[in-house]
Amino acid sequence: MLVIHNKKELQKVLQSKVNKNCTIGFVPTMGALHTGHLSLIKRAFSQNEVTVVSIFINPTQFDNKEDLEKYPTDLRNDIDLLQTVSDAIIIFAPSALEIYNGDIASKKFNFNGLEKVMEGEFRTGHFNGVATIVELLLLAVNPTHAYFGEKDFQQLQIIKKLVELKKFPFKIIGCPIERETNGLARSSRNERLSKSTREEAGFIFKTLNSAKSKFGIENAKSITDWVASEFAKSKLFELEYFQIADASTLTPILKKQKNIKYRAFIAVYAEGIRLIDNIAL
Ligand code: AMP
């Protein structure tokens, strides 16, 4: 399995493998891979001649130093997991200096408000960091197709907007959320939860599902209040936000309209660890 740390080397390898009509599937990750990541990687592998997976914990997208320091890493285990999909996957694991060309800083972006709500509101600078690194990675890999999870639905919308604004030729493909058996959305951060809290954390998806059932009957305000009251009863989970929004513009719902797709978004703290999830309504 090829593990490449350097952009020039990656480009050399890709040039040697690809001809003009060859497709390159790319899955950017921060490592500590789990079956959520693997679902994207398997899809990329089945749809492209060449598959590149990047593993890079991007410092500029963390607004919380402790979250960055405690972010799980295990390259050896990541390689073993990728090998279960295929030996032919190329791993790109650059250092921060390498991928940032020596200047580890975010650029500023304007995504027509997509970046201002929810994760953008509660994690200052997060999407500037995400867009900066995704742009650098896309330009380094130059894929035909890049795969992102709906687990980070707001991020997916922002990447689509980035590619549209920059007129990049890359096709962005959204992939469904993979969940643990209790419904908890798979995340590298789940590793940091105690066993019992991880088991109890099915509560988050259960609440999202109940909100979905209520959506046909009650208005958004009453559902939002109900979610807040459910979390207020919980000793383990602290609600940061619950928001029902237009799935394409991410603007909070005012009045439900026909022909608009809505989605509910949630961010929750458990044992100091931040968990996010969302559901189509
Ligand atoms: P991360 O390593 O957390 O930056 O995630 C890398 C990619 O995997 C992102 O596009 C995520 O949205 C996606 N991803 C993470 N967890 C899941 C999941 N449970 N289901 C589907 N995609 C996921």
Side-chain angles (χ1 to χ4, degrees), residues 27-37 39-40 56 61 71 147-153 155 175-179 184-189:
V27 185
T29 82
M30 297 205 295
L33 299 182
H34 49 70
T35 51
H37 296 114
S39 67
L40 274 61
F56 175 66
Q61 73 188 65
Y71 200 87
Y147 297 78
F148 293 84
E150 290 182 347
K151 156 84 186 350
D152 301 282
F153 193 87
Q155 168 176 285
C175 304
I177 304 173
E178 287 285 316
R179 299 181 177 282
L184 174 66
R186 290 195 187 275
S187 163
S188 306
R189 289 186 178 85

mmCIF file of all heavy atoms in Angstrom, residues 27-37 39-40 56 61 71 147-153 155 175-179 184-189, ligand 1:
data_model
loop_
_atom_site.group_PDB
_atom_site.id
_atom_site.type_symbol
_atom_site.label_atom_id
_atom_site.label_comp_id
_atom_site.label_asym_id
_atom_site.label_seq_id
_atom_site.Cartn_x
_atom_site.Cartn_y
_atom_site.Cartn_z
ATOM 1 N N VAL A 27 -11.092 10.817 -1.393
ATOM 2 C CA VAL A 27 -11.822 10.917 -0.127
ATOM 3 C C VAL A 27 -10.924 11.599 0.903
ATOM 4 O O VAL A 27 -9.980 10.984 1.417
ATOM 5 C CB VAL A 27 -12.248 9.520 0.397
ATOM 6 C CG1 VAL A 27 -13.104 9.669 1.651
ATOM 7 C CG2 VAL A 27 -12.995 8.733 -0.667
ATOM 8 N N PRO A 28 -11.182 12.867 1.208
ATOM 9 C CA PRO A 28 -10.394 13.519 2.260
ATOM 10 C C PRO A 28 -10.886 13.106 3.646
ATOM 11 O O PRO A 28 -12.097 13.087 3.885
ATOM 12 C CB PRO A 28 -10.659 15.022 2.045
ATOM 13 C CG PRO A 28 -11.597 15.138 0.904
ATOM 14 C CD PRO A 28 -12.146 13.788 0.593
ATOM 15 N N THR A 29 -9.957 12.776 4.541
ATOM 16 C CA THR A 29 -10.336 12.403 5.911
ATOM 17 C C THR A 29 -9.307 12.969 6.899
ATOM 18 O O THR A 29 -8.226 13.386 6.500
ATOM 19 C CB THR A 29 -10.360 10.867 6.126
ATOM 20 O OG1 THR A 29 -9.009 10.412 6.377
ATOM 21 C CG2 THR A 29 -10.939 10.116 4.954
ATOM 22 N N MET A 30 -9.684 12.905 8.181
ATOM 23 C CA MET A 30 -8.723 13.264 9.226
ATOM 24 C C MET A 30 -8.239 12.002 9.949
ATOM 25 O O MET A 30 -7.731 12.080 11.075
ATOM 26 C CB MET A 30 -9.362 14.260 10.200
ATOM 27 C CG MET A 30 -9.739 15.571 9.502
ATOM 28 S SD MET A 30 -9.808 16.982 10.590
ATOM 29 C CE MET A 30 -11.165 16.534 11.632
ATOM 30 N N GLY A 31 -8.413 10.857 9.313
ATOM 31 C CA GLY A 31 -7.907 9.615 9.884
ATOM 32 C C GLY A 31 -8.783 9.098 11.015
ATOM 33 O O GLY A 31 -9.936 9.492 11.143
ATOM 34 N N ALA A 32 -8.198 8.190 11.851
ATOM 35 C CA ALA A 32 -8.978 7.439 12.836
ATOM 36 C C ALA A 32 -10.195 6.862 12.110
ATOM 37 O O ALA A 32 -11.344 7.084 12.491
ATOM 38 C CB ALA A 32 -9.389 8.314 14.024
ATOM 39 N N LEU A 33 -9.894 6.150 11.046
ATOM 40 C CA LEU A 33 -10.947 5.711 10.116
ATOM 41 C C LEU A 33 -11.904 4.724 10.768
ATOM 42 O O LEU A 33 -11.524 3.922 11.631
ATOM 43 C CB LEU A 33 -10.303 5.076 8.876
ATOM 44 C CG LEU A 33 -9.388 6.003 8.064
ATOM 45 C CD1 LEU A 33 -8.844 5.268 6.837
ATOM 46 C CD2 LEU A 33 -10.089 7.285 7.655
ATOM 47 N N HIS A 34 -13.165 4.811 10.352
ATOM 48 C CA HIS A 34 -14.212 3.904 10.837
ATOM 49 C C HIS A 34 -15.083 3.529 9.640
ATOM 50 O O HIS A 34 -14.837 4.000 8.509
ATOM 51 C CB HIS A 34 -15.022 4.556 11.963
ATOM 52 C CG HIS A 34 -15.490 5.942 11.641
ATOM 53 N ND1 HIS A 34 -16.465 6.193 10.694
ATOM 54 C CD2 HIS A 34 -15.113 7.152 12.110
ATOM 55 C CE1 HIS A 34 -16.676 7.490 10.620
ATOM 56 N NE2 HIS A 34 -15.863 8.113 11.456
ATOM 57 N N THR A 35 -16.140 2.764 9.889
ATOM 58 C CA THR A 35 -16.919 2.270 8.738
ATOM 59 C C THR A 35 -17.676 3.391 8.026
ATOM 60 O O THR A 35 -18.079 3.220 6.879
ATOM 61 C CB THR A 35 -17.880 1.134 9.147
ATOM 62 O OG1 THR A 35 -18.625 1.590 10.258
ATOM 63 C CG2 THR A 35 -17.154 -0.118 9.509
ATOM 64 N N GLY A 36 -17.853 4.547 8.699
ATOM 65 C CA GLY A 36 -18.419 5.710 8.007
ATOM 66 C C GLY A 36 -17.494 6.155 6.885
ATOM 67 O O GLY A 36 -17.910 6.302 5.731
ATOM 68 N N HIS A 37 -16.214 6.325 7.218
ATOM 69 C CA HIS A 37 -15.235 6.679 6.181
ATOM 70 C C HIS A 37 -15.188 5.589 5.103
ATOM 71 O O HIS A 37 -15.117 5.880 3.912
ATOM 72 C CB HIS A 37 -13.825 6.791 6.783
ATOM 73 C CG HIS A 37 -13.644 7.877 7.794
ATOM 74 N ND1 HIS A 37 -13.379 7.624 9.122
ATOM 75 C CD2 HIS A 37 -13.677 9.219 7.668
ATOM 76 C CE1 HIS A 37 -13.248 8.773 9.764
ATOM 77 N NE2 HIS A 37 -13.426 9.750 8.921
ATOM 78 N N SER A 39 -17.364 3.643 3.994
ATOM 79 C CA SER A 39 -18.469 3.633 3.019
ATOM 80 C C SER A 39 -18.159 4.598 1.870
ATOM 81 O O SER A 39 -18.441 4.303 0.709
ATOM 82 C CB SER A 39 -19.804 3.972 3.696
ATOM 83 O OG SER A 39 -19.799 5.311 4.150
ATOM 84 N N LEU A 40 -17.549 5.748 2.193
ATOM 85 C CA LEU A 40 -17.154 6.696 1.132
ATOM 86 C C LEU A 40 -16.040 6.104 0.279
ATOM 87 O O LEU A 40 -16.034 6.206 -0.948
ATOM 88 C CB LEU A 40 -16.635 7.999 1.757
ATOM 89 C CG LEU A 40 -17.613 9.106 2.150
ATOM 90 C CD1 LEU A 40 -18.610 8.656 3.199
ATOM 91 C CD2 LEU A 40 -16.859 10.321 2.676
ATOM 92 N N PHE A 56 -5.243 13.684 7.102
ATOM 93 C CA PHE A 56 -4.580 14.899 7.582
ATOM 94 C C PHE A 56 -5.493 15.588 8.588
ATOM 95 O O PHE A 56 -6.633 15.921 8.277
ATOM 96 C CB PHE A 56 -4.281 15.845 6.403
ATOM 97 C CG PHE A 56 -3.719 17.160 6.843
ATOM 98 C CD1 PHE A 56 -2.468 17.231 7.455
ATOM 99 C CD2 PHE A 56 -4.445 18.337 6.690
ATOM 100 C CE1 PHE A 56 -1.952 18.448 7.894
ATOM 101 C CE2 PHE A 56 -3.943 19.556 7.118
ATOM 102 C CZ PHE A 56 -2.689 19.604 7.717
ATOM 103 N N GLN A 61 -9.048 24.222 11.166
ATOM 104 C CA GLN A 61 -10.498 24.136 11.288
ATOM 105 C C GLN A 61 -10.958 23.888 12.727
ATOM 106 O O GLN A 61 -12.145 23.788 12.992
ATOM 107 C CB GLN A 61 -11.073 23.078 10.349
ATOM 108 C CG GLN A 61 -10.806 21.640 10.762
ATOM 109 C CD GLN A 61 -11.238 20.680 9.685
ATOM 110 O OE1 GLN A 61 -10.688 20.663 8.580
ATOM 111 N NE2 GLN A 61 -12.253 19.853 9.970
ATOM 112 N N TYR A 71 -7.700 14.788 19.337
ATOM 113 C CA TYR A 71 -8.275 14.117 18.164
ATOM 114 C C TYR A 71 -7.538 12.792 17.947
ATOM 115 O O TYR A 71 -6.311 12.768 17.892
ATOM 116 C CB TYR A 71 -8.169 15.015 16.925
ATOM 117 C CG TYR A 71 -9.157 14.591 15.872
ATOM 118 C CD1 TYR A 71 -10.450 15.094 15.882
ATOM 119 C CD2 TYR A 71 -8.824 13.638 14.923
ATOM 120 C CE1 TYR A 71 -11.388 14.672 14.953
ATOM 121 C CE2 TYR A 71 -9.752 13.205 13.991
ATOM 122 C CZ TYR A 71 -11.023 13.731 14.010
ATOM 123 O OH TYR A 71 -11.955 13.290 13.097
ATOM 124 N N TYR A 147 -15.518 12.666 -2.629
ATOM 125 C CA TYR A 147 -16.620 12.096 -1.846
ATOM 126 C C TYR A 147 -16.643 12.694 -0.442
ATOM 127 O O TYR A 147 -15.618 12.720 0.243
ATOM 128 C CB TYR A 147 -16.460 10.570 -1.776
ATOM 129 C CG TYR A 147 -16.548 9.936 -3.141
ATOM 130 C CD1 TYR A 147 -15.468 9.976 -4.024
ATOM 131 C CD2 TYR A 147 -17.728 9.338 -3.583
ATOM 132 C CE1 TYR A 147 -15.553 9.439 -5.300
ATOM 133 C CE2 TYR A 147 -17.811 8.789 -4.862
ATOM 134 C CZ TYR A 147 -16.729 8.844 -5.711
ATOM 135 O OH TYR A 147 -16.815 8.309 -6.979
ATOM 136 N N PHE A 148 -17.814 13.151 -0.019
ATOM 137 C CA PHE A 148 -17.979 13.763 1.306
ATOM 138 C C PHE A 148 -19.234 13.186 1.952
ATOM 139 O O PHE A 148 -20.216 12.891 1.268
ATOM 140 C CB PHE A 148 -18.115 15.284 1.184
ATOM 141 C CG PHE A 148 -16.856 15.952 0.704
ATOM 142 C CD1 PHE A 148 -16.571 16.031 -0.651
ATOM 143 C CD2 PHE A 148 -15.941 16.480 1.609
ATOM 144 C CE1 PHE A 148 -15.400 16.628 -1.106
ATOM 145 C CE2 PHE A 148 -14.764 17.083 1.157
ATOM 146 C CZ PHE A 148 -14.497 17.155 -0.190
ATOM 147 N N GLY A 149 -19.216 13.065 3.279
ATOM 148 C CA GLY A 149 -20.333 12.449 3.993
ATOM 149 C C GLY A 149 -21.422 13.461 4.357
ATOM 150 O O GLY A 149 -21.132 14.607 4.697
ATOM 151 N N GLU A 150 -22.664 13.000 4.297
ATOM 152 C CA GLU A 150 -23.779 13.835 4.760
ATOM 153 C C GLU A 150 -23.757 13.986 6.281
ATOM 154 O O GLU A 150 -24.489 14.795 6.831
ATOM 155 C CB GLU A 150 -25.112 13.225 4.309
ATOM 156 C CG GLU A 150 -25.324 13.340 2.815
ATOM 157 C CD GLU A 150 -26.654 12.777 2.341
ATOM 158 O OE1 GLU A 150 -27.324 12.074 3.142
ATOM 159 O OE2 GLU A 150 -27.009 13.014 1.176
ATOM 160 N N LYS A 151 -22.933 13.191 6.951
ATOM 161 C CA LYS A 151 -22.741 13.366 8.400
ATOM 162 C C LYS A 151 -22.402 14.838 8.684
ATOM 163 O O LYS A 151 -22.849 15.415 9.660
ATOM 164 C CB LYS A 151 -21.610 12.427 8.846
ATOM 165 C CG LYS A 151 -20.877 12.820 10.104
ATOM 166 C CD LYS A 151 -21.609 12.336 11.292
ATOM 167 C CE LYS A 151 -21.073 12.766 12.630
ATOM 168 N NZ LYS A 151 -19.804 13.406 12.712
ATOM 169 N N ASP A 152 -21.573 15.418 7.798
ATOM 170 C CA ASP A 152 -21.214 16.842 7.895
ATOM 171 C C ASP A 152 -21.946 17.564 6.762
ATOM 172 O O ASP A 152 -21.334 18.017 5.802
ATOM 173 C CB ASP A 152 -19.697 16.989 7.778
ATOM 174 C CG ASP A 152 -18.984 16.212 8.865
ATOM 175 O OD1 ASP A 152 -18.935 16.678 9.998
ATOM 176 O OD2 ASP A 152 -18.502 15.087 8.577
ATOM 177 N N PHE A 153 -23.260 17.610 6.876
ATOM 178 C CA PHE A 153 -24.085 18.066 5.755
ATOM 179 C C PHE A 153 -23.782 19.517 5.380
ATOM 180 O O PHE A 153 -23.731 19.875 4.202
ATOM 181 C CB PHE A 153 -25.571 17.921 6.118
ATOM 182 C CG PHE A 153 -26.473 18.067 4.932
ATOM 183 C CD1 PHE A 153 -26.785 16.979 4.136
ATOM 184 C CD2 PHE A 153 -26.998 19.304 4.596
ATOM 185 C CE1 PHE A 153 -27.592 17.119 3.019
ATOM 186 C CE2 PHE A 153 -27.812 19.458 3.477
ATOM 187 C CZ PHE A 153 -28.118 18.363 2.693
ATOM 188 N N GLN A 155 -20.983 21.081 5.815
ATOM 189 C CA GLN A 155 -19.675 21.053 5.140
ATOM 190 C C GLN A 155 -19.841 20.641 3.674
ATOM 191 O O GLN A 155 -19.256 21.248 2.778
ATOM 192 C CB GLN A 155 -18.761 20.075 5.873
ATOM 193 C CG GLN A 155 -17.491 19.730 5.147
ATOM 194 C CD GLN A 155 -16.594 18.827 5.976
ATOM 195 O OE1 GLN A 155 -15.965 19.289 6.916
ATOM 196 N NE2 GLN A 155 -16.535 17.553 5.662
ATOM 197 N N CYS A 175 -22.485 11.349 0.388
ATOM 198 C CA CYS A 175 -22.748 9.944 0.747
ATOM 199 C C CYS A 175 -23.521 9.880 2.074
ATOM 200 O O CYS A 175 -23.288 10.687 2.971
ATOM 201 C CB CYS A 175 -21.435 9.187 0.915
ATOM 202 S SG CYS A 175 -20.377 9.282 -0.534
ATOM 203 N N PRO A 176 -24.448 8.893 2.197
ATOM 204 C CA PRO A 176 -25.308 8.827 3.385
ATOM 205 C C PRO A 176 -24.553 8.571 4.694
ATOM 206 O O PRO A 176 -23.428 8.068 4.685
ATOM 207 C CB PRO A 176 -26.255 7.660 3.083
ATOM 208 C CG PRO A 176 -25.693 6.950 1.913
ATOM 209 C CD PRO A 176 -24.746 7.851 1.212
ATOM 210 N N ILE A 177 -25.208 8.893 5.794
ATOM 211 C CA ILE A 177 -24.598 8.757 7.129
ATOM 212 C C ILE A 177 -24.585 7.292 7.572
ATOM 213 O O ILE A 177 -25.617 6.623 7.532
ATOM 214 C CB ILE A 177 -25.389 9.589 8.165
ATOM 215 C CG1 ILE A 177 -25.464 11.050 7.729
ATOM 216 C CG2 ILE A 177 -24.788 9.447 9.563
ATOM 217 C CD1 ILE A 177 -26.366 11.921 8.612
ATOM 218 N N GLU A 178 -23.433 6.821 7.996
ATOM 219 C CA GLU A 178 -23.315 5.479 8.587
ATOM 220 C C GLU A 178 -23.484 5.604 10.098
ATOM 221 O O GLU A 178 -22.928 6.534 10.715
ATOM 222 C CB GLU A 178 -21.926 4.897 8.312
ATOM 223 C CG GLU A 178 -21.706 4.468 6.894
ATOM 224 C CD GLU A 178 -22.418 3.165 6.569
ATOM 225 O OE1 GLU A 178 -22.360 2.219 7.388
ATOM 226 O OE2 GLU A 178 -23.041 3.102 5.495
ATOM 227 N N ARG A 179 -24.221 4.651 10.669
ATOM 228 C CA ARG A 179 -24.536 4.747 12.093
ATOM 229 C C ARG A 179 -24.118 3.498 12.865
ATOM 230 O O ARG A 179 -24.024 2.414 12.283
ATOM 231 C CB ARG A 179 -26.050 4.949 12.279
ATOM 232 C CG ARG A 179 -26.529 6.222 11.613
ATOM 233 C CD ARG A 179 -28.019 6.488 11.791
ATOM 234 N NE ARG A 179 -28.324 7.766 11.167
ATOM 235 C CZ ARG A 179 -28.065 8.942 11.717
ATOM 236 N NH1 ARG A 179 -27.575 8.992 12.951
ATOM 237 N NH2 ARG A 179 -28.319 10.055 11.070
ATOM 238 N N LEU A 184 -26.337 6.049 16.735
ATOM 239 C CA LEU A 184 -25.329 7.126 16.855
ATOM 240 C C LEU A 184 -24.536 7.238 15.545
ATOM 241 O O LEU A 184 -24.035 6.228 15.040
ATOM 242 C CB LEU A 184 -24.380 6.810 18.024
ATOM 243 C CG LEU A 184 -23.183 7.765 18.195
ATOM 244 C CD1 LEU A 184 -23.653 9.171 18.577
ATOM 245 C CD2 LEU A 184 -22.230 7.232 19.274
ATOM 246 N N ALA A 185 -24.450 8.451 14.994
ATOM 247 C CA ALA A 185 -23.681 8.639 13.758
ATOM 248 C C ALA A 185 -22.222 8.300 14.025
ATOM 249 O O ALA A 185 -21.648 8.760 15.014
ATOM 250 C CB ALA A 185 -23.816 10.080 13.283
ATOM 251 N N ARG A 186 -21.647 7.487 13.163
ATOM 252 C CA ARG A 186 -20.239 7.118 13.374
ATOM 253 C C ARG A 186 -19.353 8.348 13.249
ATOM 254 O O ARG A 186 -19.555 9.195 12.392
ATOM 255 C CB ARG A 186 -19.795 6.072 12.354
ATOM 256 C CG ARG A 186 -20.435 4.730 12.597
ATOM 257 C CD ARG A 186 -19.748 3.610 11.854
ATOM 258 N NE ARG A 186 -20.521 2.388 12.015
ATOM 259 C CZ ARG A 186 -20.403 1.563 13.060
ATOM 260 N NH1 ARG A 186 -19.529 1.803 14.016
ATOM 261 N NH2 ARG A 186 -21.146 0.479 13.134
ATOM 262 N N SER A 187 -18.374 8.427 14.170
ATOM 263 C CA SER A 187 -17.457 9.561 14.183
ATOM 264 C C SER A 187 -16.185 9.126 14.888
ATOM 265 O O SER A 187 -16.227 8.309 15.819
ATOM 266 C CB SER A 187 -18.110 10.714 14.957
ATOM 267 O OG SER A 187 -17.135 11.660 15.320
ATOM 268 N N SER A 188 -15.058 9.690 14.453
ATOM 269 C CA SER A 188 -13.794 9.380 15.133
ATOM 270 C C SER A 188 -13.887 9.797 16.601
ATOM 271 O O SER A 188 -13.278 9.171 17.474
ATOM 272 C CB SER A 188 -12.639 10.119 14.452
ATOM 273 O OG SER A 188 -12.631 9.838 13.074
ATOM 274 N N ARG A 189 -14.649 10.843 16.874
ATOM 275 C CA ARG A 189 -14.764 11.330 18.265
ATOM 276 C C ARG A 189 -15.522 10.357 19.168
ATOM 277 O O ARG A 189 -15.391 10.432 20.382
ATOM 278 C CB ARG A 189 -15.456 12.692 18.296
ATOM 279 C CG ARG A 189 -14.610 13.816 17.738
ATOM 280 C CD ARG A 189 -15.290 15.161 17.929
ATOM 281 N NE ARG A 189 -14.484 16.258 17.443
ATOM 282 C CZ ARG A 189 -14.463 16.678 16.180
ATOM 283 N NH1 ARG A 189 -15.232 16.109 15.284
ATOM 284 N NH2 ARG A 189 -13.683 17.689 15.811
HETATM 285 P P1 AMP B 1 -13.490 13.342 8.985
HETATM 286 O O1 AMP B 1 -12.374 12.380 9.070
HETATM 287 O O2 AMP B 1 -14.332 13.414 10.206
HETATM 288 O O3 AMP B 1 -13.051 14.708 8.485
HETATM 289 O O4 AMP B 1 -14.464 12.781 7.849
HETATM 290 C C1 AMP B 1 -14.005 12.555 6.549
HETATM 291 C C2 AMP B 1 -15.211 12.351 5.657
HETATM 292 O O5 AMP B 1 -15.954 11.227 6.111
HETATM 293 C C3 AMP B 1 -16.168 13.558 5.674
HETATM 294 O O6 AMP B 1 -16.664 13.774 4.366
HETATM 295 C C4 AMP B 1 -17.254 13.086 6.600
HETATM 296 O O7 AMP B 1 -18.510 13.705 6.368
HETATM 297 C C5 AMP B 1 -17.306 11.603 6.282
HETATM 298 N N1 AMP B 1 -17.892 10.869 7.404
HETATM 299 C C6 AMP B 1 -17.493 10.899 8.703
HETATM 300 N N2 AMP B 1 -18.317 10.138 9.451
HETATM 301 C C7 AMP B 1 -19.251 9.641 8.612
HETATM 302 C C8 AMP B 1 -20.397 8.806 8.788
HETATM 303 N N3 AMP B 1 -20.752 8.338 9.982
HETATM 304 N N4 AMP B 1 -21.130 8.495 7.703
HETATM 305 C C9 AMP B 1 -20.795 8.965 6.469
HETATM 306 N N5 AMP B 1 -19.745 9.769 6.245
HETATM 307 C C10 AMP B 1 -18.982 10.103 7.297
#
